[in-house]
Amino acid sequence: MNRYGATCMPASSELPGRIIIRGLRCRGRQGPTPADQQQAHDYLVDLELSVDIADAVAKDELAAALDISAVASCVRDEVARRPRVLVERLTADIARVLLERFARVSAVRVSVEKPEPAGLDAAAEAVELTLSRGLRSAPAASPRSPPRGRA
């Protein structure tokens, strides 16, 4: 502990942190029909990234921190990459690509909001889906998948 009451930690120590990005506006194509999938829609994406920030704190340099502009670009690229039928798939794809591309990220929480989706019949509405995944998270089995037998 230093004279100000703060504990000094060596740069090699782990310091878990969360980086939160809210309302990242993205354009993509999603919907249940091919016609829906041809029409681009706006999506609002919220991200919560678990990341070790010890190096960034110790060095106080941009190079030591997670590049949030690269994170935002990665998310926008993934949303725009291809059409999907379900918001669930879009959300899972965003979580997967973040964990694959950014080694510093150990877990993600992704929320995708689709403003004014068809079918809710209200003046102002949105549908939102949230998914949390870590590096060891396995995709959920489909309820229609047959049970696995022993080999």
Side-chain angles (χ1 to χ4, degrees):
M1 193 176 294
N2 67 17
R3 64 185 179 148
Y4 301 106
T7 303
C8 296
M9 43 168 51
S12 62
S13 294
E14 201 171 298
L15 183 58
R18 285 185 317 156
I19 295 174
I20 298 171
I21 300 173
R22 292 191 181 99
L24 183 64
R25 188 169 301 278
C26 304
R27 291 285 283 173
R29 296 169 292 137
Q30 173 275 321
T33 68
D36 290 330
Q37 293 174 21
Q38 293 306 311
Q39 180 67 38
H41 301 279
D42 283 327
Y43 297 88
L44 298 174
V45 179
D46 292 346
L47 305 169
E48 184 175 321
L49 310 170
S50 296
V51 61
D52 180 5
I53 62 169
D55 200 33
V57 169
K59 294 179 180 178
D60 192 27
E61 297 172 352
L62 281 175
L66 181 66
D67 184 346
I68 59 171
S69 64
V71 168
S73 179
C74 176
V75 171
R76 286 187 176 112
D77 289 347
E78 184 59 31
V79 171
R81 184 173 64 86
R82 67 178 183 83
R84 283 118 172 143
V85 173
L86 299 173
V87 174
E88 289 87 341
R89 178 59 184 262
L90 176 61
T91 306
D93 287 349
I94 294 167
R96 176 192 44 77
V97 78
L98 287 171
L99 289 170
E100 288 174 357
R101 180 157 174 208
F102 298 96
R104 293 179 178 176
V105 176
S106 60
V108 298
R109 182 174 182 268
V110 179
S111 294
V112 175
E113 179 180 323
K114 182 178 182 180
E116 301 178 20
L120 292 185
D121 298 326
E125 66 269 342
V127 170
E128 179 179 333
L129 184 105
T130 300
L131 172 72
S132 296
R133 285 190 66 184
L135 288 176
R136 294 179 208 9
S137 296
S142 167
R144 295 182 200 153
S145 299
R148 293 184 185 178
R150 291 194 144 171

